[in-house]
Amino acid sequence: MDPVTEERTPRVAEERVTEPLTEYVQRVTRRVRAFDRRHPLLWDLHLTGFWVTAALIDYLGDGWRNIARDTDLPGGLVLALSLGLSVPLLWRRSHPRTVLLALIPFTLANAWSGAVLQAALLQMLVVFHIALRRPHRSLWWAVAVVLAPVVVTAVRHPQGSPDQDVLPALLSFVSAAAIGITVRTRRNHTEALEDRAHRLEIERDQQARLSAAAERARIAREMHDIIGHNLSVITGLADGGRYAARKSPDRAADALNAISTTSRQALTELRRLLDVLREEEEQEAALSPQPALADLDHLIEGVRGAGLPVRTTVHGTPTLPPGRQLTVYRVVQEALTNTFKHAGPDATSTIEMSYGDGGAVTVTVTDTGRGGEPNGTDGRGLPGMRERTSLYGGTLEAGPRPHPERGWRVSLHLPKETPQ
């Protein structure tokens, strides 16, 4: 085997072993933190009990005498100092500054007496929580509180040079504060990421709701244009067939055939529209092309067959993209539908279309009906036309024709397309 391969193989094996161990440690850490959030007092009691036990072991085992500057101290004093330096840790997280101030009498007594108990190092846990939970300016007076007993020990019970007592305490303080600041920074960064992710989820959901609302509005507009127009034509054919049945059965049969044809066309378009709503990924909807200017003749012929005379005038050559063609088609369709509904009997309609360069178009649809504001509408016709027009920066005017003319007038203008 190649020596390089022999060197790489143990490393790969070590990485494979280390990765699950890291995941295990992270999983255990998450569980411990979750337990701590649910039972903070219980967790504090356990940790405080651990340090109190360690301080008592140091006292009962006379381990404190190994580093004490004065080994002839009474046992009661050493016991009181051991408990005083460890029991207040129960409140280190909720009130770290208060705990550090409460430790001052015991740390000063520890230094003045020469006991120099190792339990005094528990101050560093409090310093850690000050750096973790309180403003950083609190560390300035905390360092004075921590170093004051060390200076007292160096002055009252000198042992070697003073820096041998002060420097280790200062390094311990810096280490505890640095760890607290690091943990705090990482926690703040994690919370910021979680907050950003939460806000992104909210924005994504809002965007999805807005998209769904826009899609529902588009579908409602299409259904209104399709069903409203065809039902109006069917109604006109049915009314004409009812009158024709009395005098001319042949014309009544023609009206029924036209009703049948229009109904099938409406049903086909409705099915095509509803196919868009299907969510099955494995079945694609069979879509047919949207109506265009070429379908206007068929639309107008259907309206004429239903009994509404329509005269059409075209100026220029249509060169419109599909989207503009659909807008023109729907506006003409809606205008004729409104004429069917509201113009009354004996009304006629006129369509004038003017095409310009660059996709510009002007369409005017007028009728000779009763005029006035349409009644009994569902509120979607005119708003739907205006929404379609606004997509291309156009204008739409709809209202009664000026006196003395009678009837209704719908005027659509789409300007030239602006290059992107």
Side-chain angles (χ1 to χ4, degrees):
M1 181 180 293
D2 185 55
V4 177
T5 305
E6 291 179 355
E7 291 180 0
R8 289 178 179 176
T9 303
R11 294 179 182 177
V12 173
E14 183 179 356
E15 291 177 359
R16 291 177 180 175
V17 174
T18 303
E19 184 65 23
L21 178 59
T22 304
E23 295 178 358
Y24 174 78
V25 172
Q26 292 177 350
R27 184 168 61 255
V28 171
T29 303
R30 286 194 297 267
R31 291 179 179 177
V32 171
R33 289 176 178 173
F35 178 83
D36 184 23
R37 287 192 295 268
R38 293 193 303 268
H39 311 284
L41 180 59
L42 184 61
W43 183 254
D44 288 340
L45 286 173
H46 276 80
L47 288 182
T48 304
F50 172 80
W51 293 116
V52 170
T53 303
L56 292 178
I57 291 175
D58 186 51
Y59 159 69
L60 296 174
D62 289 337
W64 63 276
R65 297 181 186 276
N66 296 329
I67 60 173
R69 304 293 173 87
D70 185 356
T71 58
D72 296 329
L73 296 176
L77 175 62
V78 177
L79 176 61
L81 292 177
S82 299
L83 294 177
L85 293 172
S86 57
V87 172
L89 295 179
L90 180 62
W91 299 277
R92 71 192 182 282
R93 292 199 294 184
S94 57
H95 303 87
R97 290 181 295 189
T98 303
V99 170
L100 189 62
L101 293 176
L103 291 177
I104 291 178
F106 299 98
T107 55
L108 290 177
N110 180 51
W112 185 267
S113 64
V116 194
L117 297 178
Q118 297 185 54
L121 295 176
L122 295 177
Q123 292 181 104
M124 301 309 164
L125 291 176
V126 184
V127 171
F128 167 80
H129 284 284
I130 290 177
L132 179 63
R133 305 174 187 278
R134 294 294 180 265
H136 291 163
R137 61 177 179 271
S138 299
L139 294 174
W140 292 108
W141 63 264
V143 66
V145 171
V146 171
L147 293 182
V150 178
V151 174
V152 170
T153 300
V155 173
R156 182 171 172 75
H157 303 280
Q159 186 176 354
S161 60
D163 60 340
Q164 292 181 353
D165 292 323
V166 177
L167 187 58
L170 181 61
L171 292 178
S172 299
F173 178 89
V174 171
S175 300
I179 295 173
I181 294 174
T182 301
V183 174
R184 181 176 187 168
T185 303
R186 184 177 181 276
R187 180 180 295 177
N188 292 340
H189 179 66
T190 302
E191 291 176 354
L193 292 178
E194 292 176 351
D195 179 69
R196 182 171 180 269
H198 180 65
R199 286 188 284 107
L200 289 176
E201 289 179 359
I202 295 176
E203 293 176 2
R204 180 198 61 192
D205 295 340
Q206 291 176 344
Q207 186 63 34
R209 286 193 292 269
L210 291 175
S211 300
E215 185 65 13
R216 286 194 296 269
R218 184 190 68 82
I219 293 172
R221 187 170 58 239
E222 291 290 336
M223 293 184 68
H224 171 272
D225 293 339
I226 293 171
I227 298 176
H229 173 76
N230 286 286
L231 288 180
S232 298
V233 172
I234 291 173
T235 301
L237 290 171
D239 291 340
R242 183 178 58 187
Y243 292 113
R246 302 173 182 174
K247 298 180 180 180
S248 177
D250 294 337
R251 294 185 61 186
D254 293 338
L256 291 175
N257 291 332
I259 291 174
S260 177
T261 301
T262 304
S263 300
R264 289 190 177 92
Q265 291 175 352
L267 184 60
T268 300
E269 293 189 22
L270 183 60
R271 285 174 176 172
R272 174 185 59 80
L273 184 62
L274 294 178
D275 281 343
V276 180
L277 301 179
R278 293 182 179 175
E279 297 180 355
E280 292 82 4
E281 297 181 356
E282 66 277 1
Q283 180 179 1
E284 296 183 357
L287 302 178
S288 61
Q290 291 279 16
L293 294 178
D295 301 306
L296 275 177
D297 292 338
H298 180 72
L299 173 69
I300 295 172
E301 288 299 327
V303 172
R304 288 171 179 166
L308 176 64
V310 180
R311 183 167 59 88
T312 304
T313 304
V314 179
H315 302 282
T317 303
T319 56
L320 302 180
R324 293 189 171 220
Q325 293 188 37
L326 176 62
T327 298
V328 172
Y329 180 92
R330 292 303 188 196
V331 169
V332 172
Q333 183 186 53
E334 180 61 27
L336 294 177
T337 300
N338 289 336
T339 300
F340 254 117
K341 291 180 178 180
H342 312 294
D346 301 327
T348 61
S349 180
T350 301
I351 303 174
E352 185 174 352
M353 310 177 70
S354 299
Y355 299 100
D357 298 332
V361 59
T362 300
V363 179
T364 303
V365 183
T366 58
D367 62 56
T368 59
R370 291 189 295 261
E373 192 72 20
N375 297 319
T377 62
D378 57 6
R380 294 185 181 272
L382 293 178
M385 289 193 289
R386 290 192 174 94
E387 288 177 5
R388 293 182 183 277
T389 304
S390 64
L391 292 176
Y392 300 97
T395 57
L396 180 78
E397 297 179 358
R401 299 172 67 184
H403 187 75
E405 296 178 335
R406 295 182 58 193
W408 193 263
R409 177 177 178 272
V410 176
S411 178
L412 165 71
H413 175 69
L414 299 181
K416 292 182 180 181
E417 290 185 282
T418 56
Q420 300 294 330

Coordinates of all heavy atoms in Angstrom, one line a residue, residues 308-376:
L308 N -78.3 41.1 -31.2 CA -77.8 42.4 -31.1 C -77.0 42.8 -32.3 O -75.9 42.3 -32.6 CB -76.8 42.5 -29.9 CG -76.1 43.8 -29.6 CD1 -77.1 44.9 -29.3 CD2 -75.1 43.7 -28.5
P309 N -77.5 43.8 -33.1 CA -76.8 44.3 -34.3 C -75.5 45.0 -33.9 O -75.5 45.8 -33.0 CB -77.8 45.3 -34.9 CG -79.1 44.9 -34.4 CD -78.9 44.5 -33.0
V310 N -74.4 44.5 -34.5 CA -73.1 45.1 -34.2 C -72.4 45.5 -35.5 O -72.4 44.7 -36.5 CB -72.2 44.1 -33.5 CG1 -70.8 44.7 -33.2 CG2 -72.9 43.6 -32.2
R311 N -71.9 46.8 -35.5 CA -71.2 47.3 -36.7 C -69.8 47.5 -36.3 O -69.5 48.1 -35.2 CB -71.8 48.6 -37.2 CG -71.2 49.1 -38.5 CD -72.0 50.2 -39.1 NE -72.2 51.3 -38.1 CZ -71.4 52.4 -38.0 NH1 -70.3 52.4 -38.7 NH2 -71.7 53.3 -37.1
T312 N -68.8 47.0 -37.1 CA -67.4 47.1 -36.8 C -66.7 47.9 -37.8 O -66.9 47.7 -39.0 CB -66.8 45.7 -36.7 OG1 -67.6 44.9 -35.8 CG2 -65.4 45.7 -36.3
T313 N -65.8 48.8 -37.3 CA -64.9 49.6 -38.2 C -63.5 49.4 -37.6 O -63.2 49.6 -36.5 CB -65.3 51.0 -38.1 OG1 -66.6 51.2 -38.5 CG2 -64.4 51.8 -39.1
V314 N -62.5 49.1 -38.6 CA -61.1 48.8 -38.2 C -60.3 49.8 -39.0 O -60.4 49.8 -40.2 CB -60.7 47.4 -38.4 CG1 -59.3 47.2 -38.1 CG2 -61.6 46.4 -37.7
H315 N -59.3 50.5 -38.3 CA -58.4 51.3 -39.0 C -57.0 50.8 -38.6 O -56.6 50.6 -37.5 CB -58.5 52.8 -38.5 CG -59.9 53.4 -38.7 ND1 -60.3 53.8 -39.9 CD2 -60.9 53.5 -37.8 CE1 -61.6 54.3 -39.7 NE2 -61.9 54.1 -38.5
G316 N -56.2 50.7 -39.6 CA -54.8 50.2 -39.4 C -54.7 48.7 -39.4 O -55.7 47.9 -39.5
T317 N -53.5 48.2 -39.2 CA -53.2 46.8 -39.2 C -52.8 46.4 -37.8 O -51.9 46.9 -37.2 CB -52.0 46.5 -40.2 OG1 -52.4 46.9 -41.5 CG2 -51.8 45.0 -40.2
P318 N -53.5 45.4 -37.2 CA -53.2 44.9 -35.9 C -51.8 44.2 -35.8 O -51.6 43.2 -36.5 CB -54.3 44.0 -35.5 CG -54.8 43.5 -36.8 CD -54.6 44.6 -37.8
T319 N -50.9 44.7 -35.0 CA -49.6 44.0 -34.7 C -49.4 44.1 -33.2 O -48.5 44.7 -32.7 CB -48.5 44.8 -35.4 OG1 -48.5 46.1 -35.0 CG2 -48.6 44.7 -36.9
L320 N -50.3 43.3 -32.5 CA -50.2 43.3 -31.0 C -49.7 42.0 -30.5 O -50.0 41.0 -31.1 CB -51.7 43.6 -30.4 CG -52.4 44.9 -30.8 CD1 -53.7 44.9 -30.2 CD2 -51.6 46.1 -30.5
P321 N -49.0 42.1 -29.4 CA -48.6 40.8 -28.8 C -49.8 40.1 -28.1 O -50.8 40.7 -27.9 CB -47.6 41.3 -27.7 CG -47.9 42.7 -27.4 CD -48.4 43.3 -28.7
P322 N -49.6 38.8 -27.8 CA -50.8 38.1 -27.2 C -51.4 38.7 -26.0 O -52.6 38.7 -25.9 CB -50.1 36.7 -26.9 CG -49.0 36.6 -27.8 CD -48.4 38.0 -28.0
G323 N -50.6 39.3 -25.1 CA -51.2 39.8 -23.9 C -52.2 41.0 -24.2 O -53.3 41.1 -23.7
R324 N -51.7 41.9 -25.1 CA -52.6 43.0 -25.5 C -53.8 42.6 -26.3 O -54.9 43.1 -26.2 CB -51.8 44.0 -26.3 CG -50.7 44.7 -25.5 CD -50.0 45.8 -26.2 NE -49.1 46.6 -25.3 CZ -49.0 47.9 -25.3 NH1 -49.7 48.6 -26.2 NH2 -48.2 48.5 -24.5
Q325 N -53.6 41.5 -27.1 CA -54.8 41.0 -27.9 C -55.8 40.5 -26.9 O -57.0 40.7 -27.1 CB -54.3 39.9 -28.8 CG -53.4 40.4 -29.9 CD -53.2 39.3 -31.0 OE1 -54.1 38.5 -31.2 NE2 -52.0 39.3 -31.5
L326 N -55.4 39.8 -25.8 CA -56.3 39.3 -24.9 C -57.1 40.4 -24.2 O -58.3 40.3 -23.9 CB -55.6 38.4 -23.8 CG -56.5 37.9 -22.7 CD1 -57.6 36.9 -23.2 CD2 -55.6 37.1 -21.7
T327 N -56.3 41.5 -23.8 CA -57.0 42.6 -23.2 C -58.0 43.3 -24.1 O -59.2 43.6 -23.6 CB -55.9 43.7 -22.8 OG1 -55.0 43.1 -21.9 CG2 -56.5 44.9 -22.2
V328 N -57.7 43.5 -25.4 CA -58.7 44.0 -26.3 C -59.9 43.1 -26.4 O -61.1 43.6 -26.4 CB -58.0 44.3 -27.7 CG1 -59.1 44.7 -28.7 CG2 -57.0 45.3 -27.6
Y329 N -59.6 41.8 -26.5 CA -60.7 40.9 -26.7 C -61.7 40.9 -25.5 O -62.9 41.0 -25.6 CB -60.2 39.5 -26.8 CG -61.2 38.4 -27.0 CD1 -61.7 38.0 -28.3 CD2 -61.8 37.8 -25.9 CE1 -62.6 37.0 -28.4 CE2 -62.7 36.8 -26.0 CZ -63.2 36.4 -27.3 OH -64.1 35.4 -27.4
R330 N -61.1 40.9 -24.2 CA -61.9 40.9 -23.0 C -62.7 42.2 -22.8 O -63.8 42.2 -22.4 CB -61.0 40.6 -21.8 CG -60.4 39.2 -21.8 CD -61.5 38.2 -21.8 NE -60.9 36.8 -21.6 CZ -61.5 35.7 -21.8 NH1 -62.7 35.7 -22.4 NH2 -61.0 34.5 -21.6
V331 N -62.1 43.3 -23.2 CA -62.8 44.6 -23.1 C -64.0 44.6 -24.0 O -65.1 45.1 -23.6 CB -61.8 45.8 -23.3 CG1 -62.6 47.1 -23.4 CG2 -60.8 45.9 -22.1
V332 N -63.8 44.2 -25.3 CA -64.9 44.2 -26.2 C -65.9 43.2 -25.8 O -67.2 43.5 -25.8 CB -64.4 43.8 -27.6 CG1 -65.5 43.6 -28.6 CG2 -63.4 44.9 -28.2
Q333 N -65.5 42.1 -25.3 CA -66.5 41.1 -24.8 C -67.3 41.6 -23.6 O -68.5 41.5 -23.6 CB -65.7 39.8 -24.3 CG -66.6 38.7 -23.9 CD -65.8 37.5 -23.3 OE1 -65.0 37.7 -22.5 NE2 -66.0 36.3 -23.9
E334 N -66.7 42.3 -22.7 CA -67.4 42.8 -21.5 C -68.3 43.9 -21.9 O -69.4 44.1 -21.4 CB -66.4 43.3 -20.5 CG -67.0 43.9 -19.2 CD -67.9 42.9 -18.5 OE1 -67.6 41.7 -18.6 OE2 -68.8 43.3 -17.8
A335 N -67.9 44.8 -22.9 CA -68.7 45.9 -23.3 C -70.0 45.4 -24.0 O -71.1 45.9 -23.8 CB -67.9 46.8 -24.3
L336 N -69.8 44.3 -24.8 CA -71.0 43.8 -25.5 C -71.9 43.0 -24.5 O -73.1 43.1 -24.6 CB -70.5 42.8 -26.6 CG -69.8 43.4 -27.8 CD1 -69.3 42.3 -28.8 CD2 -70.7 44.4 -28.5
T337 N -71.3 42.4 -23.5 CA -72.1 41.8 -22.5 C -72.9 42.8 -21.7 O -74.1 42.5 -21.4 CB -71.2 41.0 -21.5 OG1 -70.4 40.0 -22.2 CG2 -72.0 40.3 -20.4
N338 N -72.3 43.9 -21.3 CA -73.1 45.0 -20.7 C -74.2 45.5 -21.5 O -75.3 45.9 -21.1 CB -72.2 46.1 -20.2 CG -71.3 45.7 -19.1 OD1 -71.6 44.7 -18.3 ND2 -70.1 46.3 -18.9
T339 N -73.9 45.6 -22.9 CA -75.0 46.0 -23.8 C -76.2 45.0 -23.7 O -77.4 45.4 -23.7 CB -74.5 46.2 -25.2 OG1 -73.4 47.2 -25.2 CG2 -75.5 46.6 -26.1
F340 N -75.8 43.8 -23.8 CA -76.9 42.7 -23.7 C -77.7 42.9 -22.4 O -78.9 42.8 -22.4 CB -76.2 41.3 -23.7 CG -76.4 40.6 -25.0 CD1 -75.3 40.3 -25.8 CD2 -77.7 40.3 -25.5 CE1 -75.4 39.6 -26.9 CE2 -77.8 39.6 -26.7 CZ -76.7 39.3 -27.4
K341 N -77.0 43.2 -21.3 CA -77.7 43.2 -20.0 C -78.5 44.4 -19.8 O -79.6 44.4 -19.2 CB -76.7 43.0 -18.9 CG -76.0 41.7 -18.8 CD -75.1 41.6 -17.6 CE -74.4 40.3 -17.5 NZ -73.4 40.3 -16.3
H342 N -78.0 45.6 -20.2 CA -78.6 46.8 -19.7 C -79.1 47.8 -20.8 O -79.8 48.7 -20.5 CB -77.5 47.6 -18.9 CG -76.8 46.7 -17.9 ND1 -77.5 46.2 -16.8 CD2 -75.5 46.3 -17.8 CE1 -76.6 45.5 -16.1 NE2 -75.4 45.5 -16.7
A343 N -78.8 47.5 -22.1 CA -79.2 48.5 -23.1 C -80.6 48.4 -23.5 O -81.2 49.4 -23.9 CB -78.3 48.2 -24.4
G344 N -81.3 47.3 -23.2 CA -82.7 47.1 -23.5 C -82.9 46.7 -25.0 O -82.0 46.5 -25.8
P345 N -84.2 46.4 -25.3 CA -84.5 46.0 -26.7 C -84.2 47.1 -27.7 O -84.2 48.2 -27.4 CB -86.0 45.6 -26.6 CG -86.5 46.5 -25.5 CD -85.4 46.6 -24.5
D346 N -84.0 46.6 -29.0 CA -83.8 47.5 -30.1 C -82.5 48.3 -30.0 O -82.3 49.3 -30.8 CB -85.0 48.5 -30.3 CG -86.3 47.7 -30.5 OD1 -86.3 46.6 -31.1 OD2 -87.3 48.2 -30.0
A347 N -81.6 47.9 -29.2 CA -80.3 48.6 -29.1 C -79.4 48.1 -30.2 O -79.5 46.9 -30.6 CB -79.7 48.4 -27.7
T348 N -78.5 48.9 -30.6 CA -77.4 48.5 -31.5 C -76.1 48.9 -30.9 O -76.0 49.7 -30.0 CB -77.6 49.2 -32.9 OG1 -77.5 50.6 -32.7 CG2 -78.9 48.9 -33.5
S349 N -75.0 48.3 -31.5 CA -73.7 48.5 -30.9 C -72.7 48.8 -32.1 O -72.9 48.2 -33.2 CB -73.2 47.3 -30.1 OG -71.9 47.5 -29.6
T350 N -71.7 49.6 -31.8 CA -70.7 50.0 -32.8 C -69.4 49.8 -32.2 O -69.1 50.3 -31.0 CB -70.9 51.4 -33.2 OG1 -72.2 51.6 -33.8 CG2 -69.8 51.8 -34.3
I351 N -68.5 49.1 -32.9 CA -67.1 48.9 -32.4 C -66.2 49.6 -33.4 O -66.2 49.3 -34.6 CB -66.8 47.4 -32.3 CG1 -67.7 46.7 -31.4 CG2 -65.3 47.2 -31.9 CD1 -67.6 45.2 -31.3
E352 N -65.3 50.5 -32.9 CA -64.3 51.1 -33.7 C -63.0 50.9 -33.2 O -62.7 51.1 -32.0 CB -64.6 52.6 -33.8 CG -63.7 53.4 -34.7 CD -64.0 54.8 -34.9 OE1 -65.1 55.2 -34.4 OE2 -63.3 55.6 -35.5
M353 N -62.1 50.3 -34.0 CA -60.7 49.9 -33.6 C -59.7 50.6 -34.4 O -59.8 50.5 -35.7 CB -60.6 48.4 -33.6 CG -61.7 47.6 -33.0 SD -61.6 45.8 -33.1 CE -60.2 45.5 -32.0
S354 N -58.7 51.2 -33.8 CA -57.6 51.9 -34.5 C -56.3 51.4 -34.0 O -56.0 51.4 -32.8 CB -57.7 53.4 -34.3 OG -58.9 53.9 -34.8
Y355 N -55.5 50.9 -34.9 CA -54.2 50.3 -34.5 C -53.1 51.2 -35.0 O -53.1 51.8 -36.1 CB -54.0 48.9 -35.2 CG -55.0 47.9 -34.8 CD1 -56.1 47.6 -35.6 CD2 -54.9 47.2 -33.6 CE1 -57.0 46.7 -35.2 CE2 -55.8 46.3 -33.2 CZ -56.9 46.0 -34.0 OH -57.8 45.1 -33.6
G356 N -52.1 51.5 -34.1 CA -51.0 52.3 -34.4 C -49.7 51.5 -34.4 O -49.7 50.2 -34.3
D357 N -48.6 52.2 -34.4 CA -47.3 51.5 -34.4 C -46.9 51.2 -33.0 O -47.3 51.8 -32.0 CB -46.2 52.4 -35.0 CG -46.5 52.7 -36.5 OD1 -47.1 51.9 -37.1 OD2 -46.1 53.8 -36.9
G358 N -46.0 50.2 -32.8 CA -45.5 49.8 -31.5 C -46.5 49.2 -30.6 O -46.3 49.3 -29.3
G359 N -47.6 48.6 -31.1 CA -48.6 48.0 -30.2 C -49.6 48.9 -29.7 O -50.4 48.5 -28.8
A360 N -49.7 50.2 -30.1 CA -50.7 51.1 -29.7 C -52.0 50.7 -30.3 O -52.1 50.3 -31.5 CB -50.3 52.5 -30.1
V361 N -53.1 50.9 -29.5 CA -54.4 50.5 -30.0 C -55.5 51.4 -29.3 O -55.3 51.6 -28.1 CB -54.7 49.0 -29.9 CG1 -54.6 48.6 -28.4 CG2 -56.1 48.7 -30.4
T362 N -56.5 51.8 -30.0 CA -57.6 52.5 -29.4 C -58.9 51.8 -29.8 O -59.1 51.5 -31.0 CB -57.7 53.9 -29.8 OG1 -56.5 54.6 -29.4 CG2 -58.9 54.6 -29.2
V363 N -59.7 51.4 -28.9 CA -61.0 50.7 -29.1 C -62.1 51.5 -28.5 O -62.0 51.8 -27.3 CB -60.9 49.2 -28.6 CG1 -62.3 48.5 -28.9 CG2 -59.8 48.5 -29.2
T364 N -63.2 51.7 -29.2 CA -64.3 52.4 -28.7 C -65.6 51.6 -29.0 O -65.8 51.2 -30.2 CB -64.5 53.8 -29.3 OG1 -63.3 54.5 -29.1 CG2 -65.7 54.5 -28.7
V365 N -66.3 51.2 -28.0 CA -67.5 50.4 -28.1 C -68.7 51.3 -27.6 O -68.7 51.7 -26.4 CB -67.4 49.1 -27.3 CG1 -68.7 48.3 -27.6 CG2 -66.2 48.3 -27.7
T366 N -69.6 51.6 -28.5 CA -70.8 52.4 -28.1 C -72.1 51.6 -28.4 O -72.1 50.7 -29.2 CB -70.8 53.7 -28.8 OG1 -70.8 53.4 -30.2 CG2 -69.6 54.5 -28.5
D367 N -73.1 51.9 -27.7 CA -74.4 51.3 -28.0 C -75.5 52.4 -27.9 O -75.3 53.5 -27.4 CB -74.8 50.2 -27.0 CG -74.9 50.7 -25.5 OD1 -75.7 51.6 -25.3 OD2 -74.1 50.1 -24.7
T368 N -76.7 52.1 -28.4 CA -77.8 53.1 -28.4 C -78.9 52.7 -27.5 O -80.1 52.9 -27.7 CB -78.4 53.1 -29.9 OG1 -78.8 51.8 -30.2 CG2 -77.3 53.6 -30.9
G369 N -78.5 52.1 -26.3 CA -79.4 51.7 -25.4 C -79.9 52.8 -24.5 O -79.8 54.0 -24.8
R370 N -80.4 52.4 -23.3 CA -80.9 53.3 -22.4 C -79.9 54.3 -21.7 O -80.2 55.3 -21.2 CB -81.7 52.6 -21.2 CG -82.9 51.9 -21.7 CD -83.7 51.3 -20.5 NE -83.0 50.3 -19.8 CZ -83.2 49.0 -20.0 NH1 -84.1 48.6 -20.9 NH2 -82.5 48.1 -19.3
G371 N -78.7 53.8 -21.7 CA -77.6 54.7 -21.1 C -77.7 54.6 -19.6 O -78.5 53.8 -19.0
G372 N -77.0 55.5 -18.9 CA -77.0 55.5 -17.5 C -76.1 54.4 -16.9 O -75.6 53.6 -17.6
E373 N -76.0 54.4 -15.6 CA -75.2 53.5 -14.8 C -75.8 52.1 -14.9 O -76.9 51.9 -14.7 CB -75.0 53.9 -13.4 CG -73.9 53.2 -12.6 CD -72.6 53.6 -13.1 OE1 -72.4 54.7 -13.6 OE2 -71.6 52.8 -12.9
P374 N -75.0 51.1 -15.3 CA -75.5 49.7 -15.3 C -76.0 49.3 -13.9 O -75.3 49.5 -12.9 CB -74.3 48.9 -15.8 CG -73.4 49.8 -16.4 CD -73.6 51.1 -15.7
N375 N -77.1 48.6 -13.9 CA -77.7 48.1 -12.6 C -77.6 46.6 -12.6 O -77.7 46.0 -13.7 CB -79.1 48.6 -12.4 CG -79.2 50.1 -12.3 OD1 -78.4 50.7 -11.7 ND2 -80.2 50.7 -13.0
G376 N -77.6 46.1 -11.4 CA -77.7 44.6 -11.3 C -76.4 43.9 -11.7 O -76.4 42.7 -11.9

